[in-house]
Amino acid sequence: MSELPVIDVAPLLSDATRPDPGSRGSSGKQAVAEAIGAACRDNGFFYVSGHGVPPDLLARLDRASRAFFALPEEVKAEISMDRGGRAWRGFFPVGGELTSGRPDLKEGVYFGAEKPPGPLPLHGPNLFPAQVPELRDAVLEYLGTMTGVAQAVMSGVALSLGLEEDYFRTGYTADPTILFRIFHYPPAPPDPDTWGVGEHTDYGLLTLLLQDSNGGLQVRTAHGWIDAPPLEGTFVCNIGDMLDKLTGGHYRSTPHRVRNRSGNERLSYPFFFDPGWDSEVPPLPYAPGHRWDGQVDFTGTYGEYLLSKVSKVFPSLFEGLS
């Protein structure tokens, strides 16, 4: 079991795609929203159940992902991130991503909303391996499905803040920035300083994480680090720095880390749901608090903010974006 709450979001999905204008939500939705608000104020992490994502889709995504990571390194490199250009898509090898300035013990593939090529950074077509054609269909279907789940969770966040149910859907996330990763972690060595992902906070609005059966995620709470083990039929949900910023620190973007101690390979699937690229990101309309880390407030568009973060994760790629 986990120390983090499990929240059934099914009431938020009942008519999540077409909320009534100005709706403050039904009593069932309000109860879910209150649970979400409590979790966001406490640790910024909770489990999402009742999400309605088809198990067959999750199974297809998992099979295709494992088939890809089983390919030889030189074959995986055929869709390397340096071939994705400004779209910031593709494969990176173990040690190719930095967290807090240190290489992570993981490899992975970056995806985003499928777009035609263009001049806008972090937008464009995805790179898919020819050797695993089923990965394309699984990923694109997953992106569409998870966008609906994320919009529903954000409607609960809105209600928890005393805002209208569609506050985010018709504003910040009317045309959301969608980023998706598939990470493969080899077993961690006994070195205590080696992490699959070092301590960090997510920099966006909301993250929905699918984990395989091998644990490794840890969350830093007021009482120390706790495990967030995989629970069947759930996603781990956490809020990012941008929602922390929008609420003036009222909702917490909480540090977390990953070490794969299972002795097996571990796969995880973080889905990042963020404001639109051109969205301004002023604080929400109520008295602000103070961010946990004292971060200086940011003004500008979400795209500008996101690019400032990219430079720290893949500094060499960022040179090509600027």
Side-chain angles (χ1 to χ4, degrees):
M1 296 297 293
S2 170
E3 298 179 45
L4 301 174
V6 179
I7 302 175
D8 184 344
V9 300
L12 300 176
L13 288 160
S14 59
D15 59 353
T17 57
R18 293 290 185 271
D20 293 333
S23 170
R24 297 278 176 171
S26 66
S27 59
K29 291 181 179 181
Q30 194 61 46
V32 176
E34 289 173 5
I36 289 175
C40 290
R41 292 188 298 273
D42 187 8
N43 296 317
F45 270 81
F46 54 96
Y47 290 87
V48 168
S49 66
H51 46 73
V53 179
D56 175 68
L57 172 58
L58 302 181
R60 288 190 287 118
L61 179 65
D62 188 73
R63 285 195 301 269
S65 300
R66 293 182 189 280
F68 172 74
F69 287 113
L71 294 172
E73 194 79 7
E74 63 272 17
V75 176
K76 290 183 286 189
E78 291 177 5
I79 60 164
S80 64
M81 290 188 74
D82 57 3
R83 301 187 182 190
R86 299 173 66 83
W88 199 42
R89 313 287 168 83
F91 168 75
F92 69 89
V94 173
E97 182 174 85
L98 304 181
T99 302
S100 301
R102 298 184 61 179
D104 294 332
L105 185 63
K106 71 175 189 294
E107 59 182 337
V109 194
Y110 273 51
F111 301 102
E114 185 75 7
K115 303 284 187 180
L120 200 61
L122 278 63
H123 289 67
N126 290 292
L127 301 180
F128 293 102
Q131 298 82 0
V132 190
E134 60 270 28
L135 185 62
R136 177 188 178 89
D137 289 344
V139 165
L140 294 181
E141 183 178 346
Y142 190 77
L143 293 181
T145 300
M146 294 305 293
T147 298
V149 175
Q151 292 280 27
V153 173
M154 288 305 301
S155 72
V157 171
L159 290 172
S160 76
L161 293 167
L163 303 170
E164 294 180 355
E165 183 178 350
D166 62 352
Y167 182 89
F168 291 100
R169 187 192 309 273
T170 59
Y172 295 94
T173 64
D175 182 19
T177 300
I178 301 298
L179 300 173
F180 176 52
R181 316 287 185 244
I182 303 176
F183 291 145
H184 173 247
Y185 298 83
D191 179 3
D193 291 327
T194 301
W195 291 90
V197 179
E199 180 179 347
H200 68 288
T201 57
D202 293 347
Y203 44 71
L205 194 65
L206 190 79
T207 304
L208 290 165
L209 172 70
L210 173 67
Q211 308 184 77
D212 71 6
S213 59
N214 299 297
L217 175 64
Q218 295 182 325
V219 178
R220 194 177 80 186
T221 73
H223 307 291
W225 289 96
I226 63 170
D227 292 329
L231 300 181
E232 186 175 359
T234 71
F235 297 99
V236 176
C237 182
N238 67 280
I239 66 173
D241 294 343
M242 186 51 61
L243 188 54
D244 191 319
K245 169 198 151 38
L246 290 175
T247 63
H250 186 55
Y251 284 4
R252 294 176 56 81
S253 174
T254 303
H256 50 286
R257 63 191 184 186
V258 175
R259 175 179 283 154
N260 179 17
R261 295 191 177 95
S262 68
N264 305 312
E265 62 177 356
R266 175 184 187 265
L267 266 67
S268 71
Y269 307 83
F271 174 87
F272 301 96
F273 184 76
D274 296 338
W277 183 264
D278 294 324
S279 296
E280 298 286 338
V281 284
L284 295 175
Y286 60 84
H290 301 282
R291 274 187 52 90
W292 65 271
D293 60 358
Q295 178 176 301
V296 176
D297 197 21
F298 172 83
T299 58
T301 66
Y302 185 76
E304 293 167 336
Y305 167 84
L306 186 56
L307 283 179
S308 73
K309 299 296 183 178
V310 172
S311 64
K312 299 176 182 178
V313 179
F314 290 100
S316 60
L317 283 174
F318 184 79
E319 293 173 1
L321 294 176
S322 54

